[in-house]
Amino acid sequence: MPFAETPLRDEYAAAVERVARRTLDALRGDGGTAAIADPDSAVPRPTLAALRVLGADLFAPQLLSGAAPDGPTSVLLAEARQAFPAPDSAAASADAALVIAWQDWAAGQVLARTPYGTGAPPPVPPPGPEAVGWQTWSVRMAQLSVLALPGLDGPVHDTARAHTLALARGTVRSMLRRDLPTAARLARWLAWAGAEGRPLRLEVEPVLERIRLAGNGSARTGLELAVARRLLDRSSRPPTDRRSRVR
């Protein structure tokens, strides 16, 4: 019933904000761990759900500073993935299942660098902008912004490198529609592409600042902005200073 589900949904949404805030604080602290919960104690189910939602972004502080994924967060994410397995593809739309599969792949790739997970081959590549149009493709890329991290690489990243103009168009379109969370996620992809040495088709810094000023102050959007800014910093380094990608 909707009345029974609303408080639970709010509780889970609040947990996502709490975990995103701790991750954001760690990112601003130059690579520290988020200290989300004690892995030796029982973790509340809403917190596990939040860990599942944020996935690879839990390790953004380490990945952006060149550090290894921390053990306590790895333990918690592995537990969250067991508590909330990916939904059966028959129970979700094909688009939703594909997004979840790629988000899980990103988390799995990071956990594979720890004793708490193993890597897996990439899922089926999502169609590019030439197949579905840049509007639809940019929405999909916004849903996959968690992949825009150093050390992750695959078909989604190859498409992002090849279509920075479509990313820029999607960012501008989202700004005009006042869809600031989507704009932040696409700007993050643009910042990632810049860190990869790709020419940017849009000035990203003013976009990030506009979102910061006009946004609702959510921690999750703040995390997207902070990751984008760190990626922009990487794009300003000479090519020889950029860390190599890991497949």
Side-chain angles (χ1 to χ4, degrees):
M1 297 189 309
F3 295 105
E5 292 175 357
T6 298
L8 184 61
R9 185 166 56 245
D10 291 344
E11 184 179 359
Y12 277 52
V16 171
E17 278 292 288
R18 284 196 303 272
V19 174
R21 174 62 62 189
R22 293 187 182 184
T23 305
L24 178 58
D25 289 344
L27 180 58
R28 289 171 174 167
D30 296 324
T33 61
I36 295 159
D38 182 357
D40 296 326
S41 303
V43 181
R45 192 166 176 83
T47 299
L48 288 175
L51 293 164
R52 184 74 168 80
V53 168
L54 290 174
D57 264 349
L58 296 168
F59 303 98
Q62 291 91 56
L63 296 179
L64 285 161
S65 62
D70 68 285
T73 303
S74 301
V75 170
L76 291 171
L77 179 56
E79 181 181 348
R81 283 157 63 90
Q82 290 184 339
F84 293 94
D88 190 319
S89 58
S93 69
D95 287 345
L98 187 60
V99 168
I100 292 171
W102 274 103
Q103 292 170 340
D104 280 355
W105 173 85
Q109 290 295 105
V110 180
L111 284 179
R113 304 179 206 174
T114 76
Y116 309 105
T118 57
V124 176
E130 66 281 352
V132 297
W134 65 264
Q135 296 96 329
T136 298
W137 177 77
S138 63
V139 171
R140 174 73 49 77
M141 290 299 288
Q143 295 169 334
L144 296 176
S145 65
V146 70
L147 275 69
L149 283 170
L152 295 176
D153 203 4
V156 173
H157 302 81
D158 292 337
T159 309
R161 291 186 189 97
H163 296 287
T164 54
L165 180 58
L167 288 172
R169 286 173 171 168
T171 304
V172 172
R173 178 174 183 263
S174 298
M175 293 292 287
L176 292 173
R177 293 164 62 92
R178 299 184 181 180
D179 183 356
L180 299 184
T182 296
R185 293 166 184 165
L186 291 172
R188 172 175 168 175
W189 270 116
L190 282 171
W192 175 89
E196 291 285 296
R198 303 302 298 171
L200 298 182
R201 310 301 184 95
L202 183 69
E203 290 190 49
V204 179
E205 181 61 40
V207 172
L208 300 179
E209 182 63 11
R210 174 60 180 168
I211 295 170
R212 184 188 70 83
L213 293 172
N216 61 7
S218 78
R220 196 163 182 203
T221 298
L223 181 59
E224 299 281 356
L225 296 176
V227 171
R229 290 184 188 281
R230 290 288 292 272
L231 289 168
L232 281 180
D233 290 343
R234 293 168 66 92
S235 69
S236 65
R237 300 175 188 171
T240 54
D241 289 345
R242 295 177 192 145
R243 297 179 179 89
S244 59
R245 298 187 301 272
V246 178
R247 285 189 182 270

